[in-house]
Amino acid sequence: MAKDILYDALIIAPSFSPDKVISDARYKITIKGSRGSCVGYLAEKDDLKIAWIKTACGSCNMLDYLLICGELQFKKLIFIGAAGALKEEFQIGDICTPTYSIAATLANTYLKESLKDYVPFEKVFPDMKYVDEIIQSAVENHYCIRKASVFCTDSIVMEYTHLEEIKSFKTDLIEMETAAFYAIAQIMEIPAIALLVVSDNSSAGIPLVGRTEKMMEHYEYSRKKVLIELIDIIIKNG
């Protein structure tokens, strides 16, 4: 990615390449390079320029690449990804944003001055004033972003062996990266928001494999139609 360009936004998206999200034919997508499990894209529409970084899942995978992107110039920082619901009231395809994220990971520790400052299960908070502004802008454009607390895990497979203990933290959703994302956003001192599409619900007995056709339609609509509209709203806000 070019360091001399002021991008309207930097999007960090574990496992989500632009073609999984952008269905608007007006966007031109260009691969700008790759390194290991990370691929960089430029998404352009009219005068809009978005730097897009797709990494592998997990805070440890996202951490280094997002920090390296601190060398770029961008106005907004946006995280997009999927999350599992831990409470029945969340539906497949709901778009949520964290009120806080519990760091049940070690990645956040490496952002501290000393590794000995490790705080087990610390809560990482976004700038809720900014988040509320984005939620209100979405409402004004007839879109809904739900607030939700998040538990961040290091392992998709092993989280199921600890699921009841994880649920004791009383969070609404589970995913892997937003605790580290918001900690890095604080370091960068840049407006940041995470958008999470609910992909499954363990409390409602809806796994990733076995979703109904109707559920998949709602999920795909949120991911491929609504997310890019929300990204446009975020970029235009402020």
Side-chain angles (χ1 to χ4, degrees):
M1 308 300 291
K3 297 179 183 180
D4 59 342
I5 294 176
L6 177 59
Y7 298 98
D8 294 282
L10 170 65
I11 293 178
I12 187 82
S15 299
F16 280 9
S17 53
D19 64 287
K20 286 191 174 183
V21 176
I22 299 175
S23 58
D24 187 338
R26 292 174 296 172
Y27 271 93
K28 176 186 175 183
I29 309 298
T30 307
I31 296 178
K32 303 301 290 184
S34 62
R35 181 183 296 176
S37 59
C38 180
V39 183
Y41 303 86
L42 174 63
E44 299 174 279
K45 184 184 73 170
D46 302 324
D47 295 328
L48 200 67
K49 292 185 183 297
I50 300 172
W52 187 299
I53 308 297
K54 180 183 79 72
T55 69
C57 292
S59 294
C60 59
N61 288 307
M62 182 197 72
L63 183 87
D64 290 343
Y65 292 115
L66 183 50
L67 288 172
I68 289 170
C69 286
E71 298 178 355
L72 302 177
Q73 301 179 71
F74 48 92
K75 300 176 184 177
K76 307 284 177 67
L77 181 58
I78 305 169
F79 176 98
I80 57 173
L86 298 174
K87 295 180 181 177
E88 290 190 19
E89 59 262 33
F90 289 87
Q91 306 299 314
I92 306 303
D94 283 354
I95 295 180
C96 303
T97 194
T99 50
Y100 65 84
S101 298
I102 293 178
T105 64
L106 281 175
N108 286 61
T109 301
Y110 286 84
L111 298 170
K112 299 181 183 297
E113 186 173 343
S114 170
L115 295 179
K116 294 179 181 178
D117 293 335
Y118 169 62
V119 179
F121 307 108
E122 71 175 320
K123 291 181 179 179
V124 182
F125 294 87
D127 177 351
M128 284 308 300
K129 182 178 182 296
Y130 175 70
V131 169
D132 285 338
E133 289 174 0
I134 298 301
I135 291 174
Q136 182 57 39
S137 294
V139 170
E140 292 169 1
N141 286 274
H142 311 292
Y143 294 108
C144 175
I145 303 175
R146 298 186 64 177
K147 292 181 180 179
S149 55
V150 177
F151 186 95
C152 291
T153 177
D154 265 338
S155 172
I156 296 173
V157 174
M158 293 306 294
E159 74 185 44
Y160 289 99
T161 68
H162 299 280
L163 196 55
E164 291 308 311
E165 187 175 10
I166 289 171
K167 287 182 178 180
S168 73
F169 285 87
K170 306 298 183 184
T171 59
D172 302 309
L173 307 176
I174 185 168
E175 53 87 52
M176 305 185 80
E177 299 93 6
T178 55
F181 168 78
Y182 278 119
I184 295 170
Q186 290 171 12
I187 294 170
M188 290 182 171
E189 297 182 332
I190 192 162
I193 186 169
L195 300 176
L196 303 170
V197 186
V198 175
S199 59
D200 58 281
N201 189 322
S202 58
S203 289
I206 305 171
L208 279 171
V209 178
R211 292 172 291 184
T212 66
E213 184 176 341
K214 186 175 182 180
M215 290 175 184
M216 284 302 301
E217 286 177 359
H218 191 199
Y219 176 75
E220 291 295 336
Y221 177 79
S222 294
R223 190 181 69 177
K224 299 205 70 170
K225 297 290 185 181
V226 181
L227 274 184
I228 191 60
E229 295 292 333
L230 292 176
I231 288 167
D232 282 346
I233 290 168
I234 292 166
I235 290 173
K236 292 174 183 175
N237 184 274

PDB file of all heavy atoms in Angstrom, residues 191-217:
ATOM      1  N   PRO A 191     -10.279   7.495  14.817  1.00  0.00           N
ATOM      2  CA  PRO A 191     -11.653   6.998  14.960  1.00  0.00           C
ATOM      3  C   PRO A 191     -11.768   5.565  14.458  1.00  0.00           C
ATOM      4  O   PRO A 191     -11.340   5.255  13.348  1.00  0.00           O
ATOM      5  CB  PRO A 191     -12.470   7.963  14.093  1.00  0.00           C
ATOM      6  CG  PRO A 191     -11.662   9.218  14.053  1.00  0.00           C
ATOM      7  CD  PRO A 191     -10.222   8.769  14.062  1.00  0.00           C
ATOM      8  N   ALA A 192     -12.342   4.689  15.300  1.00  0.00           N
ATOM      9  CA  ALA A 192     -12.379   3.264  14.962  1.00  0.00           C
ATOM     10  C   ALA A 192     -13.699   2.635  15.383  1.00  0.00           C
ATOM     11  O   ALA A 192     -14.270   2.991  16.423  1.00  0.00           O
ATOM     12  CB  ALA A 192     -11.224   2.531  15.646  1.00  0.00           C
ATOM     13  N   ILE A 193     -14.159   1.698  14.573  1.00  0.00           N
ATOM     14  CA  ILE A 193     -15.365   0.951  14.908  1.00  0.00           C
ATOM     15  C   ILE A 193     -15.271  -0.444  14.302  1.00  0.00           C
ATOM     16  O   ILE A 193     -14.711  -0.629  13.209  1.00  0.00           O
ATOM     17  CB  ILE A 193     -16.638   1.671  14.403  1.00  0.00           C
ATOM     18  CG1 ILE A 193     -17.900   0.949  14.902  1.00  0.00           C
ATOM     19  CG2 ILE A 193     -16.638   1.818  12.889  1.00  0.00           C
ATOM     20  CD1 ILE A 193     -19.187   1.725  14.676  1.00  0.00           C
ATOM     21  N   ALA A 194     -15.799  -1.426  15.019  1.00  0.00           N
ATOM     22  CA  ALA A 194     -15.855  -2.804  14.529  1.00  0.00           C
ATOM     23  C   ALA A 194     -17.297  -3.155  14.184  1.00  0.00           C
ATOM     24  O   ALA A 194     -18.223  -2.838  14.936  1.00  0.00           O
ATOM     25  CB  ALA A 194     -15.320  -3.765  15.592  1.00  0.00           C
ATOM     26  N   LEU A 195     -17.479  -3.798  13.044  1.00  0.00           N
ATOM     27  CA  LEU A 195     -18.786  -4.291  12.613  1.00  0.00           C
ATOM     28  C   LEU A 195     -18.719  -5.806  12.513  1.00  0.00           C
ATOM     29  O   LEU A 195     -17.875  -6.347  11.801  1.00  0.00           O
ATOM     30  CB  LEU A 195     -19.163  -3.695  11.250  1.00  0.00           C
ATOM     31  CG  LEU A 195     -19.255  -2.168  11.174  1.00  0.00           C
ATOM     32  CD1 LEU A 195     -19.540  -1.740   9.737  1.00  0.00           C
ATOM     33  CD2 LEU A 195     -20.325  -1.631  12.115  1.00  0.00           C
ATOM     34  N   LEU A 196     -19.603  -6.478  13.247  1.00  0.00           N
ATOM     35  CA  LEU A 196     -19.600  -7.936  13.313  1.00  0.00           C
ATOM     36  C   LEU A 196     -20.942  -8.479  12.820  1.00  0.00           C
ATOM     37  O   LEU A 196     -21.995  -8.069  13.306  1.00  0.00           O
ATOM     38  CB  LEU A 196     -19.371  -8.397  14.760  1.00  0.00           C
ATOM     39  CG  LEU A 196     -18.090  -7.896  15.435  1.00  0.00           C
ATOM     40  CD1 LEU A 196     -18.120  -8.228  16.928  1.00  0.00           C
ATOM     41  CD2 LEU A 196     -16.866  -8.514  14.770  1.00  0.00           C
ATOM     42  N   VAL A 197     -20.874  -9.403  11.863  1.00  0.00           N
ATOM     43  CA  VAL A 197     -22.090 -10.056  11.370  1.00  0.00           C
ATOM     44  C   VAL A 197     -22.260 -11.377  12.117  1.00  0.00           C
ATOM     45  O   VAL A 197     -21.343 -12.211  12.125  1.00  0.00           O
ATOM     46  CB  VAL A 197     -22.019 -10.323   9.851  1.00  0.00           C
ATOM     47  CG1 VAL A 197     -23.350 -10.871   9.352  1.00  0.00           C
ATOM     48  CG2 VAL A 197     -21.651  -9.050   9.101  1.00  0.00           C
ATOM     49  N   VAL A 198     -23.409 -11.564  12.750  1.00  0.00           N
ATOM     50  CA  VAL A 198     -23.655 -12.798  13.499  1.00  0.00           C
ATOM     51  C   VAL A 198     -23.777 -13.965  12.515  1.00  0.00           C
ATOM     52  O   VAL A 198     -24.628 -13.953  11.623  1.00  0.00           O
ATOM     53  CB  VAL A 198     -24.919 -12.684  14.363  1.00  0.00           C
ATOM     54  CG1 VAL A 198     -25.242 -14.022  15.040  1.00  0.00           C
ATOM     55  CG2 VAL A 198     -24.742 -11.598  15.420  1.00  0.00           C
ATOM     56  N   SER A 199     -22.910 -14.966  12.692  1.00  0.00           N
ATOM     57  CA  SER A 199     -22.846 -16.084  11.749  1.00  0.00           C
ATOM     58  C   SER A 199     -23.448 -17.370  12.302  1.00  0.00           C
ATOM     59  O   SER A 199     -23.818 -18.271  11.532  1.00  0.00           O
ATOM     60  CB  SER A 199     -21.388 -16.359  11.351  1.00  0.00           C
ATOM     61  OG  SER A 199     -20.617 -16.656  12.515  1.00  0.00           O
ATOM     62  N   ASP A 200     -23.531 -17.485  13.642  1.00  0.00           N
ATOM     63  CA  ASP A 200     -24.072 -18.688  14.271  1.00  0.00           C
ATOM     64  C   ASP A 200     -24.517 -18.330  15.684  1.00  0.00           C
ATOM     65  O   ASP A 200     -24.223 -17.240  16.177  1.00  0.00           O
ATOM     66  CB  ASP A 200     -23.025 -19.814  14.299  1.00  0.00           C
ATOM     67  CG  ASP A 200     -21.760 -19.402  15.035  1.00  0.00           C
ATOM     68  OD1 ASP A 200     -20.923 -18.692  14.448  1.00  0.00           O
ATOM     69  OD2 ASP A 200     -21.606 -19.786  16.206  1.00  0.00           O
ATOM     70  N   ASN A 201     -25.231 -19.245  16.332  1.00  0.00           N
ATOM     71  CA  ASN A 201     -25.733 -18.975  17.689  1.00  0.00           C
ATOM     72  C   ASN A 201     -25.749 -20.282  18.475  1.00  0.00           C
ATOM     73  O   ASN A 201     -26.632 -21.121  18.273  1.00  0.00           O
ATOM     74  CB  ASN A 201     -27.125 -18.352  17.633  1.00  0.00           C
ATOM     75  CG  ASN A 201     -27.597 -17.856  18.983  1.00  0.00           C
ATOM     76  OD1 ASN A 201     -27.350 -18.480  20.008  1.00  0.00           O
ATOM     77  ND2 ASN A 201     -28.294 -16.725  18.991  1.00  0.00           N
ATOM     78  N   SER A 202     -24.778 -20.458  19.365  1.00  0.00           N
ATOM     79  CA  SER A 202     -24.678 -21.701  20.138  1.00  0.00           C
ATOM     80  C   SER A 202     -25.819 -21.852  21.128  1.00  0.00           C
ATOM     81  O   SER A 202     -26.269 -22.967  21.410  1.00  0.00           O
ATOM     82  CB  SER A 202     -23.329 -21.752  20.879  1.00  0.00           C
ATOM     83  OG  SER A 202     -23.180 -20.639  21.736  1.00  0.00           O
ATOM     84  N   SER A 203     -26.342 -20.738  21.655  1.00  0.00           N
ATOM     85  CA  SER A 203     -27.443 -20.810  22.619  1.00  0.00           C
ATOM     86  C   SER A 203     -28.746 -21.236  21.959  1.00  0.00           C
ATOM     87  O   SER A 203     -29.592 -21.875  22.585  1.00  0.00           O
ATOM     88  CB  SER A 203     -27.638 -19.456  23.322  1.00  0.00           C
ATOM     89  OG  SER A 203     -26.574 -19.199  24.206  1.00  0.00           O
ATOM     90  N   ALA A 204     -28.892 -20.859  20.688  1.00  0.00           N
ATOM     91  CA  ALA A 204     -30.104 -21.222  19.956  1.00  0.00           C
ATOM     92  C   ALA A 204     -29.931 -22.523  19.175  1.00  0.00           C
ATOM     93  O   ALA A 204     -30.832 -22.953  18.451  1.00  0.00           O
ATOM     94  CB  ALA A 204     -30.495 -20.097  19.004  1.00  0.00           C
ATOM     95  N   GLY A 205     -28.761 -23.162  19.309  1.00  0.00           N
ATOM     96  CA  GLY A 205     -28.512 -24.419  18.611  1.00  0.00           C
ATOM     97  C   GLY A 205     -28.340 -24.257  17.114  1.00  0.00           C
ATOM     98  O   GLY A 205     -28.706 -25.147  16.337  1.00  0.00           O
ATOM     99  N   ILE A 206     -27.766 -23.116  16.697  1.00  0.00           N
ATOM    100  CA  ILE A 206     -27.568 -22.857  15.271  1.00  0.00           C
ATOM    101  C   ILE A 206     -26.062 -22.813  14.997  1.00  0.00           C
ATOM    102  O   ILE A 206     -25.407 -21.786  15.211  1.00  0.00           O
ATOM    103  CB  ILE A 206     -28.214 -21.527  14.840  1.00  0.00           C
ATOM    104  CG1 ILE A 206     -29.696 -21.502  15.209  1.00  0.00           C
ATOM    105  CG2 ILE A 206     -28.038 -21.312  13.338  1.00  0.00           C
ATOM    106  CD1 ILE A 206     -30.364 -20.150  15.020  1.00  0.00           C
ATOM    107  N   PRO A 207     -25.460 -23.913  14.545  1.00  0.00           N
ATOM    108  CA  PRO A 207     -24.026 -23.950  14.262  1.00  0.00           C
ATOM    109  C   PRO A 207     -23.719 -23.370  12.886  1.00  0.00           C
ATOM    110  O   PRO A 207     -24.625 -23.090  12.085  1.00  0.00           O
ATOM    111  CB  PRO A 207     -23.711 -25.449  14.302  1.00  0.00           C
ATOM    112  CG  PRO A 207     -24.985 -26.088  13.811  1.00  0.00           C
ATOM    113  CD  PRO A 207     -26.108 -25.218  14.310  1.00  0.00           C
ATOM    114  N   LEU A 208     -22.423 -23.175  12.603  1.00  0.00           N
ATOM    115  CA  LEU A 208     -22.023 -22.689  11.289  1.00  0.00           C
ATOM    116  C   LEU A 208     -22.454 -23.638  10.188  1.00  0.00           C
ATOM    117  O   LEU A 208     -22.898 -23.233   9.116  1.00  0.00           O
ATOM    118  CB  LEU A 208     -20.500 -22.503  11.243  1.00  0.00           C
ATOM    119  CG  LEU A 208     -19.944 -21.215  11.863  1.00  0.00           C
ATOM    120  CD1 LEU A 208     -18.438 -21.282  11.940  1.00  0.00           C
ATOM    121  CD2 LEU A 208     -20.380 -19.996  11.065  1.00  0.00           C
ATOM    122  N   VAL A 209     -22.333 -24.939  10.467  1.00  0.00           N
ATOM    123  CA  VAL A 209     -22.773 -25.955   9.516  1.00  0.00           C
ATOM    124  C   VAL A 209     -24.179 -26.393   9.912  1.00  0.00           C
ATOM    125  O   VAL A 209     -24.391 -26.870  11.018  1.00  0.00           O
ATOM    126  CB  VAL A 209     -21.821 -27.170   9.528  1.00  0.00           C
ATOM    127  CG1 VAL A 209     -22.324 -28.232   8.559  1.00  0.00           C
ATOM    128  CG2 VAL A 209     -20.400 -26.745   9.172  1.00  0.00           C
ATOM    129  N   GLY A 210     -25.137 -26.191   9.039  1.00  0.00           N
ATOM    130  CA  GLY A 210     -26.497 -26.584   9.356  1.00  0.00           C
ATOM    131  C   GLY A 210     -27.471 -25.424   9.392  1.00  0.00           C
ATOM    132  O   GLY A 210     -28.632 -25.595   9.764  1.00  0.00           O
ATOM    133  N   ARG A 211     -27.013 -24.230   8.976  1.00  0.00           N
ATOM    134  CA  ARG A 211     -27.925 -23.094   8.915  1.00  0.00           C
ATOM    135  C   ARG A 211     -28.924 -23.279   7.785  1.00  0.00           C
ATOM    136  O   ARG A 211     -28.594 -23.823   6.735  1.00  0.00           O
ATOM    137  CB  ARG A 211     -27.136 -21.789   8.715  1.00  0.00           C
ATOM    138  CG  ARG A 211     -26.284 -21.389   9.908  1.00  0.00           C
ATOM    139  CD  ARG A 211     -25.384 -20.222   9.597  1.00  0.00           C
ATOM    140  NE  ARG A 211     -24.323 -20.576   8.659  1.00  0.00           N
ATOM    141  CZ  ARG A 211     -23.357 -19.752   8.274  1.00  0.00           C
ATOM    142  NH1 ARG A 211     -23.323 -18.531   8.744  1.00  0.00           N
ATOM    143  NH2 ARG A 211     -22.423 -20.148   7.426  1.00  0.00           N
ATOM    144  N   THR A 212     -30.157 -22.807   7.999  1.00  0.00           N
ATOM    145  CA  THR A 212     -31.189 -22.947   6.976  1.00  0.00           C
ATOM    146  C   THR A 212     -30.910 -22.001   5.812  1.00  0.00           C
ATOM    147  O   THR A 212     -30.122 -21.051   5.925  1.00  0.00           O
ATOM    148  CB  THR A 212     -32.574 -22.636   7.549  1.00  0.00           C
ATOM    149  OG1 THR A 212     -32.631 -21.233   7.908  1.00  0.00           O
ATOM    150  CG2 THR A 212     -32.871 -23.487   8.778  1.00  0.00           C
ATOM    151  N   GLU A 213     -31.573 -22.261   4.701  1.00  0.00           N
ATOM    152  CA  GLU A 213     -31.402 -21.408   3.520  1.00  0.00           C
ATOM    153  C   GLU A 213     -31.812 -19.969   3.823  1.00  0.00           C
ATOM    154  O   GLU A 213     -31.154 -19.016   3.389  1.00  0.00           O
ATOM    155  CB  GLU A 213     -32.239 -21.962   2.364  1.00  0.00           C
ATOM    156  CG  GLU A 213     -32.055 -21.204   1.062  1.00  0.00           C
ATOM    157  CD  GLU A 213     -32.816 -21.826  -0.092  1.00  0.00           C
ATOM    158  OE1 GLU A 213     -33.186 -23.007   0.006  1.00  0.00           O
ATOM    159  OE2 GLU A 213     -33.035 -21.114  -1.093  1.00  0.00           O
ATOM    160  N   LYS A 214     -32.890 -19.815   4.602  1.00  0.00           N
ATOM    161  CA  LYS A 214     -33.352 -18.471   4.963  1.00  0.00           C
ATOM    162  C   LYS A 214     -32.313 -17.744   5.819  1.00  0.00           C
ATOM    163  O   LYS A 214     -32.062 -16.554   5.630  1.00  0.00           O
ATOM    164  CB  LYS A 214     -34.684 -18.557   5.712  1.00  0.00           C
ATOM    165  CG  LYS A 214     -35.315 -17.205   6.013  1.00  0.00           C
ATOM    166  CD  LYS A 214     -36.682 -17.358   6.651  1.00  0.00           C
ATOM    167  CE  LYS A 214     -37.313 -15.992   6.905  1.00  0.00           C
ATOM    168  NZ  LYS A 214     -38.661 -16.121   7.536  1.00  0.00           N
ATOM    169  N   MET A 215     -31.717 -18.463   6.768  1.00  0.00           N
ATOM    170  CA  MET A 215     -30.667 -17.869   7.601  1.00  0.00           C
ATOM    171  C   MET A 215     -29.482 -17.434   6.756  1.00  0.00           C
ATOM    172  O   MET A 215     -28.916 -16.356   6.958  1.00  0.00           O
ATOM    173  CB  MET A 215     -30.204 -18.871   8.660  1.00  0.00           C
ATOM    174  CG  MET A 215     -31.198 -19.161   9.751  1.00  0.00           C
ATOM    175  SD  MET A 215     -30.574 -20.465  10.848  1.00  0.00           S
ATOM    176  CE  MET A 215     -31.980 -20.667  11.944  1.00  0.00           C
ATOM    177  N   MET A 216     -29.095 -18.278   5.814  1.00  0.00           N
ATOM    178  CA  MET A 216     -27.964 -17.964   4.956  1.00  0.00           C
ATOM    179  C   MET A 216     -28.257 -16.745   4.081  1.00  0.00           C
ATOM    180  O   MET A 216     -27.373 -15.915   3.841  1.00  0.00           O
ATOM    181  CB  MET A 216     -27.607 -19.166   4.084  1.00  0.00           C
ATOM    182  CG  MET A 216     -26.872 -20.267   4.831  1.00  0.00           C
ATOM    183  SD  MET A 216     -25.329 -19.671   5.584  1.00  0.00           S
ATOM    184  CE  MET A 216     -24.426 -19.087   4.150  1.00  0.00           C
ATOM    185  N   GLU A 217     -29.493 -16.628   3.622  1.00  0.00           N
ATOM    186  CA  GLU A 217     -29.874 -15.470   2.816  1.00  0.00           C
ATOM    187  C   GLU A 217     -29.730 -14.181   3.619  1.00  0.00           C
ATOM    188  O   GLU A 217     -29.229 -13.170   3.112  1.00  0.00           O
ATOM    189  CB  GLU A 217     -31.310 -15.624   2.317  1.00  0.00           C
ATOM    190  CG  GLU A 217     -31.481 -16.646   1.205  1.00  0.00           C
ATOM    191  CD  GLU A 217     -32.934 -16.811   0.792  1.00  0.00           C
ATOM    192  OE1 GLU A 217     -33.794 -16.130   1.403  1.00  0.00           O
ATOM    193  OE2 GLU A 217     -33.206 -17.604  -0.125  1.00  0.00           O
TER     194      GLU A 217
END
